[in-house]
Every structure is written in C-alpha cells, then in structure tokens.
Amino acid sequence: MAKRAERPGDPAKLIGLLWRPTEAVSRSGLTPKVITRAAIALADQEGIDALTIRRVAGDLGVSTMALYPYIAGRSELLELMLDAVAAEVYAHTTPPAQAGQWRTRIEHIAQANWDHHMAHPWTVDIAAGRPVPGPGVSGKYETELSALDGLGLSDIEMDQTLTAILGLVSNAARETISLRRIRQESSLTDTQWWESVGPSLGKAMAGASYPVARRVAASLGEATGLATDPEGAFRFGLGMLMDGLGTLIGARGRHTL
Amino acid sequence: MAKRAERPGDPAKLIGLLWRPTEAVSRSGLTPKVITRAAIALADQEGIDALTIRRVAGDLGVSTMALYPYIAGRSELLELMLDAVAAEVYAHTTPPAQAGQWRTRIEHIAQANWDHHMAHPWTVDIAAGRPVPGPGVSGKYETELSALDGLGLSDIEMDQTLTAILGLVSNAARETISLRRIRQESSLTDTQWWESVGPSLGKAMAGASYPVARRVAASLGEATGLATDPEGAFRFGLGMLMDGLGTLIGARGRHTL
DNA sequence: ACCTGAACACCGTTCAAGT
DNA sequence: ACCTGAACACCGTTCAAGT
C-alpha cells in the first residue's frame, strides 16, 4: 500500500470532463474518451491493481505524463470510468413495462446491476464517495428511480429502497468477485483449501464448540460445496426485501387508494 | 496502486497463528498478538493506507523485517486483525434473551455490526475472500446464527438471511465511512462542494432532463441536507427485510406449527 | 535464534526541459 | 501547444549478512 500522493480532485474540472469532454484530437490522438476507454479495457482484463497511469499510458503508446492534461489525475479517471460504464447498464436491455408488476421491474434492476458488476469487476473495488455527477450515473439513477415511482413511496423512501436493493447486489457481487480472485491467485481449489485447512482446524478447534455454526456450515457444504454462497444470499435477501416492500405498499394502499 | 509483490498466504500457517499463537516472548518482545494489536491501533487511527509493515515495525521500534517470522506476511496480518476485532463485536454487549422477539435480536446484531464498523473503519476496506478460519470470526458467526435459530428457517436460509442483514450493514457503513473520508480530505464541506458543482452542473445538464431523479434529489436535500443518506437507507432496508422475514415465518407457522 | 539492511521492481505526481 | 524524463518519497518481500 504505497502512499501514492493522491490529490483529492477538483470537482469543477471533473464536471467539465464528464459533460463536455474535449473532442479535439491532438497530435498523439489523445482525448479523455480514448483514455477512459483504454483504462476500462485494462481494468476489465487485469483488475484495479493493474490500473496504473503508467500502464494506461504504455497501452496508448505515450509517456506517462502525457495523460495528465486530459484526465487531471487518477481519481478523476476513476470517476470518468464509473460514469462511462454506468451509461451502459441499461443500454442493451429492454426494460419491463411501467404498467406491469413492480416486482419484475425491481428484479430487472437487480439483474442488470449484477451483470454490470460481473462485466466490470473493478466497480466493486472503488469506494463510492460523493455521487459521481456525470450523465451516465444520472441516467442510471433516473431509470432506477422511475421503476419505483408511483408505488406510494415517498421520495426519500424511493431512494432508500433503491439503495437497499443496490447494496444487496453490490455486496454479493463484491464477495463473489473476491472469492473468484482468491481462487485464481491461491492455485488451491476450494476442496484443496479445505483439505489443507480442515484437519488443523479440527485440532485447533478441539476445545471450543460452535454447535449452530457447525450445523449450518455442514448444510451449506452439502448443498453448495462451499462455505459461502453470496449469490444465493442476494437472491434470497432480495425476495425478502420485496416481500417487505409489498407489505408496506399494501398497507398504505388500504388507506390511501 | 503499487504491485506490492503480495503472496497469496499459506492457510495451514494461518490456522496456527489464529488458534495457537506463539506466546513465547523473544528478546525484542515481539509476539503475533503484540504485532496484531499495534496494527489495529494504527489502522483505527490512520486508516488502511497507513497500515504498512514498515509503519507497524516502526511503531514497535524494530526493523521492518523483524515482523515476518511472527506474521508470515501482510495478508496474514490482515486476517489476524479481522479475527481479533471480530472477537470484540459482542464482548461489551448484553444480548437480548433468546426467548424474546426475534426482531429485537436482529436489530441487536445489526447495531453491533454497525458500531463495529464505525469503531474500526478499515474493516470495510478489506475484501472478504474465503472466511477467516479463526476463533473470533467463528464465535461471532455462532452468536449471530443462534439469534436466527428456531424461527423455522432452514440452515441455508439462516445463513442467507444473516448474509443479507450483514450486507446491508456493511454497505451502509462503507458508504458512510468513505463519505467521511472524502469530507476530511477534500477540505470542502458538502455545501461548498455543491456550490462548486451546482452551477456548472446546472449548465452542463441543460440539455438532458432527469425528472424523477431531480425531484428525489431535491427531497433528499431538503430532508437531510445531503445527496445520499446511507444510514437511513440501511435502517429502512433492514425494516423491510424484517417485514419480509416475518411474512415468510408467519406463512410457514400456519402450516407447520 | 533472532534481527538488520541493502536491493528489487514498482507507485502518483511535481517540475523543468525539450520539440 | 503538446509531450518527455528525471526526481521525490514511498511500497512488500527476498536474501545474505550480522550479533
């Protein structure tokens, strides 16, 4: 974990980059969009740790410092990347009719975000600070809120419901992705890992006893072959959340409709 | 983001460190526990980026390389830290009676985990891979599953429900913490940030129109003064989740009880 | 047996210099 | 106007050497 001397990032400059990126092509062919595209391709293929300014510049065939006038710095580049992929989340998708079942609309949102995280795994590595004030993120937010509009929720409840749904998705995605990475790096399969850990763990745990945990872990292992099943947890959790939302909407409906 | 040459980490060695750490005190006074404690103190105060092997060694007054025989490497140290703080989550807490309301028990779990993340903000920065096979994490898991036991859920449903609850908590915690960090670093207050972003954003967005997003953002701004309210979303989401769980348990109760 | 220090192959960003 | 290269102050981990 290097110090990396990262600057906070200038919001006004960022707005310009997000909404009115320079289209003018200089002698090297660099533009904010070209750089952002190269950075996304790199992060998709090799992960966030491989995403260094030096590497992106190398991939584009220019010196490291050539990028700075176009992207301001690393944190701005990350925001440009997030906004660019956010614009694609619902691009290749036909949304369910607004007149139909709200459960279908919510499942559509959850699935699109799940697919999004799987297509761009680095999205789960970037800590969301203040919202990215760009066209991609704004359009995504508009699409998602619209699916929750007209159910009888207050504006704030709409935002909170959406946050809860997306939180469930990104949490499961984060765990799934980091499990996947560890599997790749460790060169141990899950079975091998358990074989390596199991016996010493059994001996080490000899004194202590965790009756419920032991029972649940055994059931999980039988059913999934794993000690943890983030995607299953996400689908189950989403179902419960929608059941709760149904109760809330239903109760209001009796009063207000 | 440096390459950092991080090794995957040896599971068998880790088990030993977690369950039977060397108590023998060498001439420097180093033990796994002493090192882990120093690392936690550093991460609590200065964050995960400040947690370097070099810094921990410096704080302990030894050379960098003196730590390696005791902790194996950085990734093992992180797991030792996670297990140590996991053991503290319910330590200073009186759990609600198992005979009482299950909602109370779930709220207690959620609150304890929220407090835990706030006390040790670096816990949201560490990607959970395979579960940490230590006494702290195992004890925490046992406590939490016990609170969900006997409700009529299957073992797998118990695990998935718990994952959903903890996911909601850690997601809200992660957003709250990274917002807090950005506020500290940027030296711009939220109001100043909006004043800096607002006008240029208004001009930039002139063409596009996001009617629902605009309305919801305005309501959020009025109510909370913020563009995002992770903690509110977490409490609202947890309520919905528990409503859904209640429906599920109730429906089964009618059949099975 | 335990600890140290140099070396390796990296970071993001600055600044002055080149074309 | 646009791009380059050296420099700064860092990383985790290796290995051989010291006490």
Side-chain angles (χ1 to χ4, degrees):
Chain A
M1 304 276 153
K3 270 286 128 54
R4 271 168 265 134
E6 270 168 30
R7 289 161 316 85
D10 176 0
K13 199 174 282 180
L14 179 61
I15 303 277
L17 286 170
L18 283 163
W19 292 87
R20 283 182 272 113
T22 325
E23 302 286 355
V25 177
S26 54
R27 69 175 182 260
S28 63
L30 292 178
T31 65
K33 264 178 193 152
V34 166
I35 298 171
T36 305
R37 227 181 343 247
I40 291 170
L42 175 57
D44 285 352
Q45 281 157 44
E46 303 189 33
I48 197 80
D49 280 349
L51 184 83
T52 65
I53 304 286
R54 287 163 133 101
R55 253 306 288 281
V56 176
D59 290 357
L60 289 168
V62 295
S63 78
T64 305
M65 296 317 299
L67 303 189
Y68 275 78
Y70 299 93
I71 54 154
R74 188 174 197 271
S75 53
E76 284 86 352
L77 177 58
L78 290 176
E79 305 211 63
L80 292 174
M81 292 168 65
L82 280 179
D83 198 69
V85 294
E88 296 293 311
V89 174
Y90 299 102
H92 312 295
T93 257
T94 42
Q98 188 69 23
Q101 272 283 317
W102 57 264
R103 288 183 82 108
T104 312
R105 297 203 300 275
I106 288 182
E107 277 162 1
H108 181 251
I109 287 174
Q111 188 64 46
N113 275 278
W114 176 266
D115 295 343
H116 173 235
H117 286 309
M118 292 303 135
H120 306 293
W122 50 272
T123 50
V124 304
D125 297 313
I126 299 174
R130 295 201 178 93
V132 179
V137 169
S138 303
K140 176 173 183 285
Y141 189 47
E142 175 73 17
T143 302
E144 288 164 345
L145 283 178
S146 299
L148 298 174
D149 204 16
L151 296 180
L153 296 172
S154 75
D155 286 345
I156 290 171
E157 287 169 342
M158 283 170 59
D159 179 76
Q160 293 183 335
T161 302
L162 178 60
T163 301
I165 293 165
L166 298 187
L168 241 31
V169 176
S170 70
N171 225 72
R174 193 183 338 270
E175 279 176 40
T176 300
I177 287 165
S178 69
L179 251 176
R180 196 173 290 174
R181 279 179 196 146
I182 285 185
R183 286 196 188 108
Q184 282 172 358
E185 284 168 18
S186 81
S187 74
L188 257 56
T189 65
D190 282 351
T191 325
Q192 287 171 324
W193 188 80
W194 277 110
E195 275 165 10
S196 150
V197 157
S200 32
L201 191 55
K203 240 177 283 171
M205 283 176 62
S209 107
Y210 307 99
V212 187
R214 213 182 279 261
R215 193 191 76 213
V216 170
S219 301
L220 261 177
E222 268 173 48
T224 66
L226 302 163
T228 172
D229 175 23
E231 188 177 351
F234 142 58
R235 306 222 177 262
F236 186 74
L238 183 64
M240 280 198 299
L241 206 87
M242 290 193 294
D243 288 349
L245 181 59
T247 312
L248 181 70
I249 293 171
R252 294 217 185 135
R254 255 173 260 135
H255 291 287
T256 57
L257 294 187
Chain B
M1 303 278 153
K3 271 286 127 56
R4 270 168 266 132
E6 270 168 29
R7 291 162 314 84
D10 176 359
K13 199 174 282 179
L14 180 61
I15 302 277
L17 286 170
L18 283 163
W19 292 87
R20 283 182 272 114
T22 326
E23 301 287 353
V25 178
S26 54
R27 68 175 183 259
S28 64
L30 292 178
T31 65
K33 264 179 193 151
V34 166
I35 298 170
T36 304
R37 227 182 343 248
I40 292 170
L42 175 58
D44 285 352
Q45 281 157 45
E46 303 189 34
I48 197 81
D49 279 350
L51 184 83
T52 66
I53 304 287
R54 287 163 134 101
R55 254 306 290 281
V56 177
D59 289 358
L60 289 167
V62 295
S63 76
T64 305
M65 296 316 300
L67 304 189
Y68 275 78
Y70 299 93
I71 54 154
R74 188 174 196 271
S75 54
E76 284 87 351
L77 177 57
L78 290 176
E79 305 211 64
L80 292 175
M81 291 167 67
L82 280 180
D83 197 69
V85 293
E88 296 293 311
V89 174
Y90 299 102
H92 313 294
T93 257
T94 42
Q98 187 69 22
Q101 272 283 318
W102 58 264
R103 286 184 82 107
T104 312
R105 297 202 300 275
I106 288 181
E107 276 161 2
H108 181 252
I109 287 173
Q111 188 63 47
N113 275 277
W114 176 267
D115 294 344
H116 171 234
H117 286 310
M118 293 303 135
H120 306 292
W122 49 272
T123 50
V124 304
D125 297 313
I126 298 175
R130 293 199 179 93
V132 179
V137 168
S138 302
K140 177 173 183 285
Y141 189 48
E142 175 73 18
T143 302
E144 289 164 345
L145 283 178
S146 299
L148 298 174
D149 203 16
L151 296 181
L153 295 173
S154 75
D155 286 345
I156 291 170
E157 286 169 342
M158 284 170 59
D159 178 75
Q160 293 183 334
T161 303
L162 178 61
T163 302
I165 294 164
L166 299 187
L168 241 30
V169 176
S170 71
N171 226 71
R174 191 182 342 268
E175 280 176 38
T176 300
I177 287 164
S178 69
L179 253 176
R180 195 173 290 174
R181 280 180 196 145
I182 284 185
R183 288 199 186 104
Q184 282 173 359
E185 284 168 18
S186 82
S187 74
L188 257 55
T189 65
D190 282 348
T191 324
Q192 286 171 325
W193 188 79
W194 277 110
E195 275 164 10
S196 151
V197 157
S200 34
L201 191 54
K203 239 177 287 174
M205 283 176 63
S209 105
Y210 307 100
V212 187
R214 213 181 279 261
R215 193 191 76 212
V216 170
S219 301
L220 261 177
E222 268 173 48
T224 66
L226 302 163
T228 171
D229 175 23
E231 188 176 351
F234 142 58
R235 305 221 178 263
F236 186 74
L238 183 63
M240 281 198 299
L241 205 87
M242 289 193 294
D243 288 349
L245 182 58
T247 312
L248 182 68
I249 293 171
R252 293 217 185 133
R254 256 173 260 134
H255 291 287
T256 57
L257 296 187

